[in-house]
Amino acid sequence: PLPFFAFYSQMFLLTAVGITIGHYALILISQAEDLPADREMHLITPAVRWGAHRTVIYSLGLNLFGSVLIIAGLAGLFVVTNVWLLLLLPLVAVGRYFSMREVARLARRTRFVPDEGMFMLELRDRMQTYPLWHAYGLAGVLISGLCILVVHSLHLIGSL
């Protein structure tokens, strides 16, 4: 077992926190879609408290922050596992980009569609691809995790 203060443990934790933050950010979008029903039921969700526009803006910021943590954490894990794994970072970055792209589009639209009702129609239309937003962001992370596991299993630790 690795001690908590080992670099590997810290990078693993950084990656896990980044994944959590990045994907909670996407869940905020889902909460924004539920805003009318949640208001009607008097639920106090982040979207009810902040409104649809601010929820989307906060989602984008949290998604970006989570993505930075994921990339930094995986970079650290790659360096201590096998430096050749750093070649996976562009794959992770592209996946995180596609995960954030729709949220960024919605965030831009908040400036041009100030009416929350009209914005909600647009948001509901974009939610058709919502499951893919999670898949894009996690695909590179999954592949990276599998590669780290294979390198550890085959004892290919360190640089080649």
Side-chain angles (χ1 to χ4, degrees):
L2 291 171
F4 177 75
F5 292 106
F7 183 74
Y8 190 91
S9 298
Q10 292 174 350
M11 292 299 101
F12 178 83
L13 184 60
L14 186 66
T15 303
V17 168
I19 292 167
T20 302
I21 291 171
H23 288 275
Y24 180 70
L26 293 178
I27 290 168
L28 284 174
I29 298 296
S30 179
Q31 288 184 0
E33 182 192 24
D34 296 337
L35 178 62
D38 290 346
R39 274 188 184 146
E40 188 175 305
M41 293 188 305
H42 303 289
L43 296 176
I44 305 299
T45 64
V48 169
R49 185 172 303 265
W50 301 327
H53 291 99
R54 284 195 334 190
T55 300
V56 170
I57 299 297
Y58 292 163
S59 173
L60 180 60
L62 285 170
N63 203 325
L64 181 60
F65 180 63
S67 295
V68 168
L69 295 181
I70 291 168
I71 291 170
L74 284 175
L77 288 172
F78 293 161
V79 166
V80 297
T81 301
N82 188 308
V83 295
W84 289 102
L85 291 175
L86 286 169
L87 295 172
L88 292 171
L89 279 183
L91 174 68
V92 174
V94 166
R96 298 306 308 163
Y97 165 76
F98 283 118
S99 178
M100 281 190 293
R101 183 177 62 176
E102 287 298 321
V103 180
R105 286 178 181 165
L106 283 170
R108 271 193 305 275
R109 294 295 295 158
T110 63
R111 292 187 307 204
F112 301 110
V113 185
D115 177 62
E116 188 171 81
M118 294 296 291
F119 181 72
M120 293 302 297
L121 293 173
E122 193 167 325
L123 173 61
R124 285 206 174 103
D125 185 53
R126 299 250 176 119
M127 290 300 284
Q128 294 175 17
T129 59
Y130 175 76
L132 292 175
W133 306 358
H134 286 278
Y136 293 142
L138 290 174
V141 173
L142 174 65
I143 292 167
S144 297
L146 289 173
C147 288
I148 290 170
L149 178 65
V150 166
V151 168
H152 274 285
S153 298
L154 296 177
H155 303 290
L156 302 172
I157 309 300
S159 58
L160 295 177

